[in-house]
Amino acid sequence: MAEMLKSYDPRTGEFVGEYPIRDAAAVADVVRSARKAQTWWAAAGFAGRKRSMLSWKRHISRNAVELAELISTETGKPTVDAAIEVMLAVEHLNWAARHAERFLGRARLSPNWLTRNQSASVGYLPLGVVGVLGSPNNPLLSSMGAIAYAMAAGNAVVFKPSQFTPGVGTWLAESWAALGPDLPVLQTITGTLDTSAELCRARVDKIAYAGSEEGARQAIEFCAPTFTPIVVEKAGKGTMIVHVDADLDAAADAAVFGAMSNAGQNPAGIQRAYVAASVYDSFLERVVVQARSLRPGADRRASYGPMIVESQVDVVRRQVKDAIARGGRAVVGGLESIREPYIEPIVLTEVPEHALAVTTEALGPVLIVNRVTDIDDAIDRINRAGQGVSVSVFTRDVAAVEEFAERIRTGVVMVNSSMTYATNPAVPFGGVGEYGQGHIHGEAGLREFSRTLAITRKRHRTLVDLSSFDRPIRHLRLTRGLFRLRHGRF
């Protein structure tokens, strides 16, 4: 009998369900069947794939309440937050299905003066089978950011959900199968870290990973022996800059929501706020008031739920303890706020840039508010920390943002908002450095799961054929003369 993986509600510890732990042989069988399905799926073309994916979208939408309840049960997040996650995932599915042909379809290329006798085009073809390794923090949304775009590009997908949220992954594959497609374009395999490793070793054509820094390194290591390319959406949170002219009420609201929503377990959230000295005290007062009004719990009135992964509680405890030991000050909460599986809001100030809460992966309802002298100081701190996920800038001088945004080593800069870019399917998600291993979402996300195929065709003979040994000297002289007219002395 196959070993089973058990799922529990992190709020209560109650048993939710059990799912098979797939071994190497089972994973190999699933990948083989996916290759057969992919041939059919690729042949369906953009129009056929669009019809099927939009049907799937409607099926998910009709059953959104059921799915939201399952997400809430496996993650502990409030049902309203789970419902928002479903809605955002459906928007990404809809966008990918409707825009794949526009960005991946074959397009004609303009010739230059030497190749006027040729026509050329470029198109994007599916890779084959894409393996997706899911995250427990937003088990539907983070996974759909790869699944929908890979499928729209013509790939079959084998989805390995987090071992903490296997039910969500199983539901997703079953919802696709309920539409009755000819072959299993989307399949889910459940299991542990060993199952993830087997998927990476199964010679799929690409892996998309979302999750912790440690998990990212492991996934890269698993893919290395087979040279399997990998897209990494590493956990961690972004940063906020509050300029002297910012709307402080809006900035404080965005900072607290970005830091505390989903118990601080959003990769697009806020870890640190760097605030101009002249408005620092006013901003901090607003943050304190808002943070103190929040309450974690399991009831409908709770602001957010528990930590989904139990071990993350100890990570937060170490970061807070280290920050205070290094001279940081807790203005809301502190170590006493950690009451497993919940963590009440914690706001820290004057935290040194070398503290663990700044330099290591941050997942938890903790917000660091530090004073800076000016924009240059804030940018320097962000770049030195290297947490290149996203940066929110609050300022009324919107026109000036583009200039200094280009100096920040990050993938996304948001003006007067936080986390909103993750809600726009057209905006690519990806960072720099350790966060820069590929993209999901948008045009970049579609092409991430495609291969380029360029086609050139000779239409007629040209006066000067440079791709032949039959090149009369007078033709070469003519070519050099034309070159000088276009580009200068040769």
Side-chain angles (χ1 to χ4, degrees):
M1 183 176 178
E3 187 179 358
M4 303 299 286
L5 173 70
K6 292 179 171 57
S7 174
Y8 299 91
D9 186 330
R11 297 168 294 194
T12 63
E14 294 179 355
F15 174 76
V16 175
E18 60 180 12
Y19 304 86
I21 297 176
R22 302 296 186 183
D23 60 14
V27 172
D29 286 342
V30 169
V31 171
R32 275 194 294 270
S33 65
R35 293 216 175 273
K36 294 178 182 178
Q38 193 275 326
T39 301
W40 166 80
W41 185 238
F46 291 111
R49 294 195 290 271
K50 178 181 175 180
R51 284 193 298 271
S52 294
M53 293 181 70
L54 292 181
S55 294
W56 186 32
K57 176 201 76 169
R58 289 188 288 271
H59 178 85
I60 294 174
S61 299
R62 286 194 296 267
N63 295 277
V65 173
E66 175 189 332
L67 179 55
E69 286 290 346
L70 178 57
I71 293 172
S72 179
T73 299
E74 286 202 318
T75 65
K77 67 173 61 178
T79 305
V80 64
D81 289 346
I84 292 172
E85 182 175 345
V86 174
M87 288 189 286
L88 293 177
V90 166
E91 288 296 331
H92 279 278
L93 173 57
N94 179 72
W95 191 93
R98 294 184 183 278
H99 289 81
E101 184 170 13
R102 173 185 174 188
F103 294 118
L104 303 181
R106 186 154 292 278
R108 293 190 177 279
L109 303 175
S110 300
N112 64 20
W113 68 284
L114 287 172
T115 58
R116 289 186 181 277
N117 68 320
Q118 296 191 21
S119 64
S121 65
V122 64
Y124 300 86
L125 302 179
L127 296 172
V129 177
V130 172
V132 177
L133 304 178
S135 164
N137 301 328
N138 291 292
L140 179 64
L141 179 57
S142 64
S143 303
M144 190 63 81
I147 291 172
Y149 295 81
M151 289 177 64
N155 301 285
V157 172
V158 178
F159 178 34
K160 161 54 177 68
S162 164
Q163 67 188 64
F164 298 98
T165 55
V168 176
T170 299
W171 191 100
L172 205 59
E174 289 176 348
S175 70
W176 172 260
L179 301 178
D182 291 356
L183 290 168
V185 175
L186 171 64
Q187 299 176 80
T188 289
I189 53 172
T190 52
T192 62
L193 178 63
D194 290 339
T195 310
S196 299
E198 293 303 337
L199 181 57
C200 293
R201 295 166 183 152
R203 297 189 180 275
V204 294
D205 298 284
K206 197 162 213 174
I207 289 287
Y209 169 85
S212 70
E213 179 176 332
E214 180 184 3
R217 295 183 187 281
Q218 289 172 328
I220 293 170
E221 183 179 339
F222 294 151
C223 290
T226 55
F227 292 97
T228 301
I230 182 170
V231 183
V232 173
E233 179 191 343
K234 201 178 74 172
K237 292 190 287 187
T239 312
M240 177 181 287
I241 298 174
V242 182
H243 204 20
V244 292
D245 63 348
D247 180 334
L248 297 184
D249 289 324
D253 179 67
V256 173
F257 182 79
M260 310 297 175
S261 62
N262 196 25
Q265 298 167 109
N266 290 318
I270 301 295
Q271 175 194 21
R272 293 160 289 153
Y274 291 124
V275 187
S278 61
V279 297
Y280 176 84
D281 291 333
S282 297
F283 175 81
L284 186 58
E285 287 175 6
R286 290 166 169 79
V287 165
V288 168
V289 170
Q290 292 199 31
R292 284 178 175 163
S293 70
L294 303 180
R295 179 181 60 81
D299 59 274
R300 291 185 177 274
R301 294 186 178 181
S303 306
Y304 56 83
M307 301 305 292
I308 301 169
V309 180
E310 185 179 355
S311 61
Q312 187 61 36
V313 175
D314 288 332
V315 174
V316 175
R317 182 180 286 111
R318 285 196 301 272
Q319 291 178 340
V320 173
K321 185 176 181 179
D322 175 77
I324 294 173
R326 293 178 185 271
R329 186 166 57 93
V331 293
V332 176
L335 290 172
E336 69 279 5
S337 302
I338 302 173
R339 302 171 182 174
E340 300 181 47
Y342 298 100
I343 301 178
E344 295 176 353
I346 299 173
V347 179
L348 304 173
T349 65
E350 302 169 19
V351 177
E353 296 298 310
H354 57 276
L356 293 176
V358 175
T359 61
T360 59
E361 184 177 65
L363 285 176
V366 180
L367 173 63
I368 297 170
V369 182
N370 277 351
R371 189 191 315 261
V372 293
T373 55
D374 53 26
I375 285 288
D376 291 337
D377 185 15
I379 292 173
D380 181 61
R381 295 188 188 205
I382 292 170
N383 289 343
R384 278 191 284 117
Q387 304 292 326
V389 183
S390 62
V391 174
S392 297
V393 180
F394 275 77
T395 178
R396 286 185 170 88
D397 189 7
V398 176
V401 172
E402 187 171 318
E403 183 275 326
F404 67 78
E406 294 180 355
R407 294 161 50 200
I408 306 173
R409 285 185 56 79
T410 188
V412 179
V413 172
M414 293 163 286
V415 183
N416 296 329
S417 66
S418 71
M419 297 175 58
T420 52
Y421 75 95
T423 68
N424 185 347
V427 177
F429 184 97
V432 296
E434 291 186 353
Y435 291 85
Q437 194 127 327
H439 288 79
I440 56 174
H441 305 171
E443 177 184 352
L446 287 168
R447 291 187 176 171
E448 191 72 54
F449 300 105
S450 307
R451 64 179 179 89
T452 304
L453 177 63
I455 299 175
T456 64
R457 178 175 63 87
K458 187 174 181 178
R459 297 184 299 167
H460 54 75
R461 287 181 59 83
T462 183
L463 179 63
V464 181
D465 189 351
L466 298 181
S467 59
S468 170
F469 285 113
D470 183 18
R471 295 176 294 192
I473 190 66
R474 64 181 183 278
H475 290 179
L476 294 176
R477 291 194 186 109
L478 174 60
T479 302
R480 292 183 64 177
L482 292 172
F483 182 90
R484 283 195 297 271
L485 288 174
R486 288 178 55 83
H487 302 296
R489 188 170 181 82
F490 180 71

